[in-house]
Amino acid sequence: MPFNGEKQCVGEDQPSDSDSSRFSESMASLSDSECSRQSFTSDSSSKSSSPASTSPPRVVTFDEVMAAARNLSNMTLAHEIAVNENFQLKQDALPENSLASRVKHIVHQAFWDVLQSELNAEPPEYEHAIKLFEEIREILLSFLTPGGNRLRNQICEVLDTDLIRQQAEHSAVDIQGLANYVISIMGKLCAPVRDDDIRELKATNDIVEVLRQIFHVLDLMKMDMVNFTIRSLRPHLQRQLVDYERTKFQEILEETPSALDQTTGWIKESVNELLSLSETALTPGAENSSKPSLSPTLVLNNSYLKLLQWDYQKKELPEDL
């Protein structure tokens, strides 16, 4: 997988156009949906606020609130990816010497100590090691593009857990050989920045430490792949960001109709203020003249000017700010 645009996979395992096309199709379906063309103040929101309506306020369920939160989170993430060229994900690191960090270290160390004792036993016990190779196989397969059939078949054949169990029953399994094969595949799939990590893996002789470091490097490769995917999708997001954000914003309003109450009040207050100023400016002989029309730009500019004198202690900011 050419994560940084510097290293290509061998043979048929090069990235195909299917990844980007799948994203384009999914984003296109969003832009074609009906809600992407609706106004945020139409239909359900206007009906619920109508003075003629006698229906009780709609109760929002917990699932609807969570769905709205997911939509807001997805919209925020998509916006950040599109506008921030330097955006990338990083692994969460627990604070050093914290309780969570110590507990994690103790639990992980206990697991690897058990694996070490099982492999050193007479006869050796391979069940936990086989499960680790099964997990490694799934991670390696997740790195492959749809066109990597030959490498996919090879990985499934070499890391066939049923075959490995049969070999273990006859004391014929080669754990070190399987680990070396995994390292060689990782070397083909990793980003160039991981080449030093692969060389360190090849130089490690302790099989338990090798397996431990394999999982560490695989975690790094996962993050490399995610950031490569983000860079690949950024141009698509930039082209379709407006429709995508409009769609997600409408979904939030449909699930939580009161999501823009503060914003609605903020805009209405600005409109009333401008109308009041316009009526005051009319000459005494012009009482019967029609009310001046207000442009959206004028209303929006006045709304933002009001924020300069906003009482943040007593009034909440509009939701979209």
Side-chain angles (χ1 to χ4, degrees), residues 46 49 118 132 154 173 201-202 212 231 252 261 284 297-298:
S46 61
S49 61
E118 289 180 349
L132 291 180
Q154 184 189 94
V173 64
L201 282 174
K202 292 180 179 178
R212 186 173 189 167
R231 290 193 296 272
I252 293 172
D261 285 353
T297 302
L298 181 61

Side-chain angles (χ1 to χ4, degrees), residues 59-99:
V59 178
V60 180
T61 65
F62 176 76
D63 290 340
E64 290 173 329
V65 173
M66 294 306 297
R70 285 192 296 271
N71 283 327
L72 183 59
S73 177
N74 291 339
M75 185 176 65
T76 303
L77 180 60
H79 180 83
E80 185 68 19
I81 292 174
V83 302
N84 185 2
E85 295 288 339
N86 298 320
F87 177 83
Q88 62 178 356
L89 297 181
K90 297 180 179 179
Q91 283 187 318
D92 290 333
L94 294 174
E96 190 175 356
N97 296 325
S98 65
L99 177 61

Side-chain angles (χ1 to χ4, degrees), residues 10 62 134 140 201 250 252 271:
V10 294
F62 176 76
E134 184 176 10
L140 292 177
L201 282 174
Q250 185 63 40
I252 293 172
V271 170

Side-chain angles (χ1 to χ4, degrees), residues 213-231:
Q213 292 305 317
I214 282 176
F215 276 95
H216 172 68
V217 177
L218 286 174
D219 286 341
L220 297 177
M221 290 173 61
K222 289 179 187 177
M223 199 60 62
D224 293 337
M225 188 174 190
V226 169
N227 288 321
F228 169 75
T229 304
I230 288 174
R231 290 193 296 272

Side-chain angles (χ1 to χ4, degrees), residues 112-126 206-208:
W112 295 112
D113 287 344
V114 170
L115 180 62
Q116 181 78 65
S117 63
E118 289 180 349
L119 294 179
N120 291 337
E122 289 295 340
E125 173 58 52
Y126 294 109
D206 184 7
I207 184 58
V208 174

Side-chain angles (χ1 to χ4, degrees), residues 179 229 255 284 291 318:
T229 304
E255 290 156 358
K291 290 186 177 181

